[in-house]
Amino acid sequence: MNTFPAAGLVRRAAVWAIACPMAAALIACGGGSGADAPATGATLSASHLDESSCAYTFHPSLDTAGQVRCGLLVVPQDRRDPTGPVVRVPYAVFKSPQPSALAPVVYLTGGPGQTWKESVPDVVASQSPGFAGGAKLLRDEIVIEQRGSAATTPALDQCEGPTWFPSEHADWRDVLGAAVADVRTCAASVEAAGIRAAGFNSDELATDVADLVRLLGYDKVVLNGVSYGTLWASAVLRDHPERVESAILDSVVQQSQPAIASQMLGFQTALQGADEACAKEPTLCGPVGLGLLARTEALVQDLEARPVAWSAGPGGRFTSGAAVSILTTLLAFYPLSELPAFVDFAELLVEGGLVLDVAPPSLTRSLLEVVALARPGDSLAQYLSITCADNAAVKQTKIQAQLSKVRPAFQALAQAQLQEAYDTCAAWPARQDLPASSFAPVRSSIPVLILSGATDPLTPRAWAEEAARTLSGATVVRFPLRGHSLQSGSGGCAPGIVAAFLERRQPDLSCAATDRGT
């Protein structure tokens, strides 16, 4: 057996993919000139910038007067009512160290729910604020918050996400009823706060970016999105193509695919990718790294029949859903070498009828830390507003087509996840039904760099391939040994490929085949 229980797991990624160091709290900082922003709930007739205040604090090495432009984008909460309540969306422009005519890069975060508020303070003067960090680019770089994130006013932070989702419980049908009641309570609290949450959706976020670019005085920008940020970027490209020079899509979320029905299929294809990688690179996975898909199928079936006692688990048990949740996070955010050890450990746990509570405390902490990476935290309301709207037009035929590809061992969990998504979104009234065009593949001929990991369970490689079919200027780079968010971490070659793309050089793509991440 490998060393998983003794060594535990080392946390390697921030929640929801996206590679930002978490550090400091919000404090005010100096901005530029501008009129005072209206109080929360005031009405405006048009979007505008307020640079009288700044939501971020910056690293001491940065001259905030000369190297940063910071402020708030003030826009209607719901553009169908342009004179209604507003949302104030923080942004920061990290200026080029020398005058540059190059299009700025706009970084779009994932989740939905990720914020820049804790990573911006760590960006030193010589560093890029982007997902890969690295040296400051010789062009302006822009970060913008997702409307509704913890940094915006108002924020959709009225309720906290669960430690375990209903579908991860053995008795998930009973748990789902209570979870749906919590969602209704959450919706009531959002309404009581006077927030028009129906306007917090991907189409509105796309227009936020277009408004910011226009108001800052730029002609075109380069979009760099990771995970949900790729759907956000695609919406900008679809609705405001005149503002986009090129785009980088890292771990593609495909709006034409039903994400609510794809969780288990993505997990399955990621395991297939892991099997292929371990067979090709035996030293990567070790002697216990073969046949991971078949072994996981057997593990899921065993745990469905006989969950293992674990006081910290869903319903006090280590269930098939808990195992899949942990494995999903390992596949997405950790080096592939971590995965076989956990499968090996879980098999011994089930075969021996062991109680997980007698394992070393460090192991339990590590498992819970892994689980926490994939929870929405206090951005549950924002997550529901965006995700439920983004899946509102999904056809039953497409959902059934997705489910038909799920292997029999995973069908029960897939059905539980789908029912959870349906019931949860049905209980969330604060959503806008987006037009059919919002769910069509985006068509464009601009240069697009697509990065895709073969072991990514959250944004399957098939989504990247489908996106490329209607993006005639796309270059797809596949990483057979990597999972989610290819620009994150250190030691990988994705940042170099991105840099070459930005500089319009032909990148060396060969490194992707052997990139193991860190």
Side-chain angles (χ1 to χ4, degrees), residues 95-189:
K95 296 179 182 178
S96 172
Q98 62 190 47
S100 174
L102 296 174
V105 178
V106 180
Y107 297 104
L108 303 178
T109 50
Q114 195 189 16
T115 173
W116 293 102
K117 69 175 185 176
E118 293 173 321
S119 59
V120 162
D122 291 335
V123 178
V124 300
S126 60
Q127 181 185 10
S128 165
F131 304 111
K136 177 77 184 73
L137 301 182
L138 297 179
R139 63 175 77 203
D140 290 356
E141 299 180 80
I142 303 169
V143 299
I144 178 174
E145 294 292 334
Q146 300 174 21
R147 58 164 59 202
S149 77
T152 68
T153 305
L156 285 177
D157 59 356
Q158 287 71 29
C159 37
E160 187 175 349
T163 301
W164 296 98
F165 294 119
S167 58
E168 294 163 342
H169 290 252
D171 53 347
W172 64 269
R173 290 179 178 83
D174 296 333
V175 177
L176 181 56
V180 167
D182 289 342
V183 167
R184 291 196 178 99
T185 301
C186 178
S189 66

Side-chain angles (χ1 to χ4, degrees), residues 305-321:
R306 294 177 290 118
V308 174
W310 182 27
S311 60
R317 290 182 283 182
F318 181 62
T319 63
S320 59

Side-chain angles (χ1 to χ4, degrees), residues 259-322:
I260 60 173
S262 300
Q263 297 177 66
M264 192 53 63
L265 184 58
F267 175 70
Q268 176 179 298
T269 57
L271 280 172
Q272 291 169 334
D275 271 347
E276 294 167 5
C278 291
K280 186 176 180 179
E281 299 280 346
T283 59
L284 178 65
C285 305
V288 296
L290 299 178
L292 291 172
L293 175 57
R295 291 167 61 193
T296 302
E297 288 182 288
L299 176 63
V300 165
Q301 291 177 315
D302 286 344
L303 285 170
E304 286 178 350
R306 294 177 290 118
V308 174
W310 182 27
S311 60
R317 290 182 283 182
F318 181 62
T319 63
S320 59

Side-chain angles (χ1 to χ4, degrees), residues 18-21 107 116 127-135 137 141 224 226 250 451 485-499:
I18 337 252
C20 293
Y107 297 104
W116 293 102
Q127 181 185 10
S128 165
F131 304 111
L137 301 182
E141 299 180 80
N224 187 341
V226 177
D250 179 347
L451 307 177
S485 183
L486 284 311
Q487 294 175 80
S488 65
S490 58
C493 72
I497 293 173
V498 169

Side-chain angles (χ1 to χ4, degrees), residues 102-107 137-139 221-225 233 237 244-250 444-451 471-477 479 487 493-509 511:
L102 296 174
V105 178
V106 180
Y107 297 104
L137 301 182
L138 297 179
R139 63 175 77 203
V221 294
V222 178
L223 302 173
N224 187 341
L237 179 55
V244 185
E245 178 181 275
S246 61
I248 299 151
L249 306 179
D250 179 347
S444 176
S445 60
I446 70 165
V448 177
L449 177 66
I450 296 177
L451 307 177
L471 297 173
S472 59
T475 298
V476 181
V477 186
F479 292 74
Q487 294 175 80
C493 72
I497 293 173
V498 169
F501 175 80
L502 290 173
E503 295 165 10
R504 300 181 182 179
R505 294 185 286 107
Q506 180 60 43
D508 177 10
L509 306 182
C511 63

